[in-house]
Amino acid sequence: MKKNTMTLTNNMTGDSYEYKILEGTRGSCVVDIRTFFADSGMFTYDPGFTATAACESTVTFIDGGKGELRYRGIAIEELANNHTYLETCFLLLNSRLPSEEELYKFDLEIRHRAFLHEGLRHLFNAFPDNAHPMATLSAAVTALSTFYNDHLDMTHEEEFLEMAHRIISKMPTIAAFAYRHSLGIPFIQPDIDLGFTKNFLTMMRAYPGGKMHLCANGHEDIKDVEVRALDTIFTLHADHEQNASTTVVRGVASTGAHPYVAISSGISALWGRAHGGANESVIAQLEYIGSVENVEAFIKRAKDPDDDFRLMGFGHRVYKNFDPRAKILKNLQDELREELNLDTELMAIARKIEEIALSDDYFISRNLYPNIDFYTGIILTALQIPKSMFTPIFVIGRTVGWITQWIEFKKDKTSKIARPRQLYIGE
Ligand code: SDX
């Protein structure tokens, strides 16, 4: 009977070390090397954690080879096509979809918690109007922790859930206020008569007093198709296993700091263009490429090792196949092309990039496929959301994932402070 262990042999000394292979319920196994330094006096070496599992988790499962994504075991296609973002939030937090009554109560709580303390509102005035909303968002969420600092020593599940509901409901308000501050226009307060996503679009778009744009046939309200499109985008961004920003959130959780400063750290990590900031860079890149005729030249630059130009929205540490979220967004683009009057020139450039890249050996040999950021921007542009707000939209969607992973970390009695070692190559 084969043992479920792996033996590492140091060929310099002949010493051998045997470690347990742990199997999950889906996906790759892990080798439990927690005693390796004590056994061998050596560290493993894995910059960027390309082959490292940092924790056990029951939240999200990704199969990078198959292009599969599940939240609490439910496929992303099922959630994006048949459930709302709020249902997905309830699923992530409670490990099951809500009953009708549970959803009604959850929705009501999220609506009522959407308001910000007046003191927090004044924080926005400290920022120049050209401040990037991601900087304002990160600062405002850190400031939010000062209004709930009595919760630092939480130990009960219901305290964790209250912190989670609060930050999920306030994030759209903070993002909309950051946007309106950047335009120098008055803030629109949340409206408890509106659902999560419609409320956000209203806080972004409405005139002072909450009135929508006036047009020939009376008030041009926010179209249902726009709400559905944005709600799907929030669902697709809700969580994604141990990505860079979630790793940062867990790292801050491991020192025992306030959950909202952990979320604020996640916002800062997400901002980078190698991560969530890519969605803003994709549109900037498509606009910079300017026409279908110019695509070939830029593909050449992306392949040139001496040119740091990269195709934004392409490639992924885990997906070595199509990102399933990108597939859903691509179908959504086709569905909404007429209804939302999508920018067909930008879409044509994106499709040309995809067509060339997916048949070019440079990309095929490196398993570089379009990721979620490649398609989001064209839909968000059609929803009259400016580029600078693309990554804040990612933040709104991902907040539930970050706080769910924070709760999982806090409930894991075996969790330890994150403290990796190094290979010292100094003097
Ligand atoms: C997100 O992790 C997550 O789950 C993240 C995310 C989430 O939901 O949380 O999915 C969201 O961040 C999506 C990714 C958004 N980022 C981008 O679109 C930026 C462009 N892509 C990359 O810079 C890159 O692909 C990463 C950062 C996404 C992944 O980088 P890896 O896995 O560390 O891969 P790598 O940089 O080592 O690249 C491997 C090879 C290199 O070539 P060689 O050195 O082997 O010759 O592929 C090349 C890279 O030069 N390469 C690219 C490329 N991405 C990788 N070449 C051109 N264009 C690209 N976009």
Side-chain angles (χ1 to χ4, degrees):
M1 163 75 169
K2 285 206 177 77
K3 288 200 296 183
N4 60 342
T5 62
M6 184 173 279
T7 304
L8 282 173
T9 303
N10 177 343
N11 294 319
M12 292 192 290
T13 63
D15 294 326
S16 282
Y17 312 94
E18 192 174 31
Y19 298 100
K20 264 192 148 177
I21 292 174
L22 307 178
E23 270 187 80
T25 45
R26 292 178 190 269
S28 306
C29 301
V30 300
V31 183
D32 183 350
I33 55 162
R34 279 176 284 190
T35 61
F36 183 67
F37 176 63
D39 299 339
S40 70
M42 285 194 276
F43 302 129
T44 60
Y45 185 63
D46 184 17
F49 316 124
T50 52
T52 293
C55 63
E56 287 182 342
S57 181
T58 62
V59 181
T60 292
F61 174 73
I62 303 174
D63 183 319
K66 291 189 203 141
E68 184 185 338
L69 168 60
R70 294 171 178 276
Y71 296 157
R72 299 290 188 191
I74 301 180
I76 190 66
E77 294 78 6
E78 161 64 20
L79 292 168
N81 297 329
N82 305 313
H83 295 280
T84 64
Y85 175 66
L86 271 198
E87 288 176 274
T88 302
C89 289
F90 188 99
L91 167 70
L92 286 166
L93 287 168
N94 300 285
S95 304
R96 59 182 171 78
L97 284 164
S99 65
E100 216 172 293
E101 193 200 346
E102 286 170 325
L103 181 60
Y104 176 78
K105 280 191 195 149
F106 181 60
D107 181 0
L108 217 52
E109 181 181 353
I110 295 295
R111 290 176 189 228
H112 284 88
R113 286 187 182 278
F115 298 86
L116 300 186
H117 188 290
E118 276 301 288
L120 192 62
R121 254 168 51 94
H122 298 312
L123 173 82
F124 293 88
N125 299 332
F127 293 93
D129 54 14
N130 63 349
H132 194 290
M134 284 297 281
T136 318
L137 218 51
S138 175
V141 172
T142 292
L144 192 66
S145 70
T146 64
F147 292 87
Y148 306 99
N149 50 18
D150 52 325
H151 287 50
L152 209 45
D153 305 322
M154 289 173 290
T155 50
H156 302 300
E157 170 99 25
E158 57 277 9
E159 289 174 306
F160 292 155
L161 286 175
E162 185 188 18
M163 293 300 275
H165 297 169
R166 181 184 290 120
I167 190 72
I168 290 165
S169 64
K170 291 180 188 323
M171 197 62 83
T173 310
I174 294 171
F177 282 12
Y179 171 62
R180 294 187 72 101
H181 171 74
S182 73
L183 298 178
I185 56 177
F187 296 166
I188 298 294
Q189 286 296 341
D191 177 345
I192 55 170
D193 292 335
L194 298 177
F196 183 90
T197 302
K198 185 163 187 176
N199 188 33
F200 171 68
L201 283 171
T202 304
M203 290 191 287
M204 285 280 289
R205 271 199 218 158
Y207 282 73
K211 291 274 175 286
M212 292 310 294
H213 302 275
L214 280 175
C215 61
N217 56 354
H219 283 180
E220 177 198 323
D221 204 357
I222 289 170
K223 301 186 194 79
D224 288 347
V225 65
E226 293 180 293
V227 176
R228 236 183 26 255
L230 185 55
D231 203 76
T232 303
I233 287 175
F234 286 147
T235 296
L236 295 174
H237 286 83
D239 192 52
H240 212 238
E241 204 218 58
Q242 304 312 316
N243 58 82
S245 49
T246 299
T247 298
V248 165
V249 169
R250 280 178 172 258
V252 174
S254 77
T255 69
H258 194 289
Y260 294 169
V261 296
I263 300 292
S264 170
S265 311
I267 293 171
S268 302
L270 188 77
W271 191 0
R273 64 198 303 260
H275 192 11
N279 55 18
E280 179 178 349
S281 309
V282 165
I283 288 294
Q285 197 165 82
L286 294 178
E287 288 166 349
Y288 181 64
I289 292 172
S291 75
V292 170
E293 292 66 43
N294 297 339
V295 167
E296 290 270 4
F298 281 93
I299 295 273
K300 204 158 159 285
R301 285 190 57 192
K303 293 160 59 177
D304 178 354
D306 301 325
D307 188 335
D308 61 7
F309 177 86
R310 279 198 164 183
L311 272 187
M312 300 318 287
F314 254 76
H316 197 278
R317 171 62 61 75
V318 176
Y319 290 122
K320 300 310 170 193
N321 194 325
F322 244 92
D323 180 335
R325 303 167 298 176
K327 270 189 193 164
I328 293 167
L329 282 168
K330 193 173 165 186
N331 296 337
L332 197 59
Q333 268 187 4
D334 292 336
E335 251 177 71
L336 303 175
R337 191 197 303 258
E338 272 69 46
E339 282 189 277
L340 284 185
N341 185 23
L342 296 186
D343 181 327
T344 44
E345 176 61 15
L346 285 187
M347 278 178 76
I349 296 170
R351 294 286 152 93
K352 186 71 179 166
I353 290 172
E354 198 187 338
E355 178 201 312
I356 298 178
L358 295 184
S359 56
D360 183 300
D361 184 56
Y362 172 91
F363 296 91
I364 296 170
S365 62
R366 293 168 177 79
N367 295 308
L368 299 177
Y369 289 87
N371 59 49
I372 186 166
D373 295 309
F374 192 64
Y375 294 104
T376 346
I378 289 173
I379 296 174
L380 292 178
T381 303
L383 297 180
Q384 304 167 48
I385 290 171
K387 281 200 292 287
S388 63
M389 285 298 292
F390 287 3
T391 314
I393 297 280
F394 196 143
V395 169
I396 293 172
R398 185 54 56 87
T399 294
V400 63
W402 285 330
I403 198 73
T404 299
Q405 300 263 356
W406 180 87
I407 291 173
E408 184 172 70
F409 183 93
K410 297 303 278 187
K411 286 166 70 174
D412 174 0
K413 292 301 163 230
T414 67
S415 56
K416 302 168 81 67
I417 189 166
R419 207 295 186 200
R421 301 301 303 274
Q422 64 180 16
L423 174 66
Y424 179 71
I425 54 170
E427 68 292 343

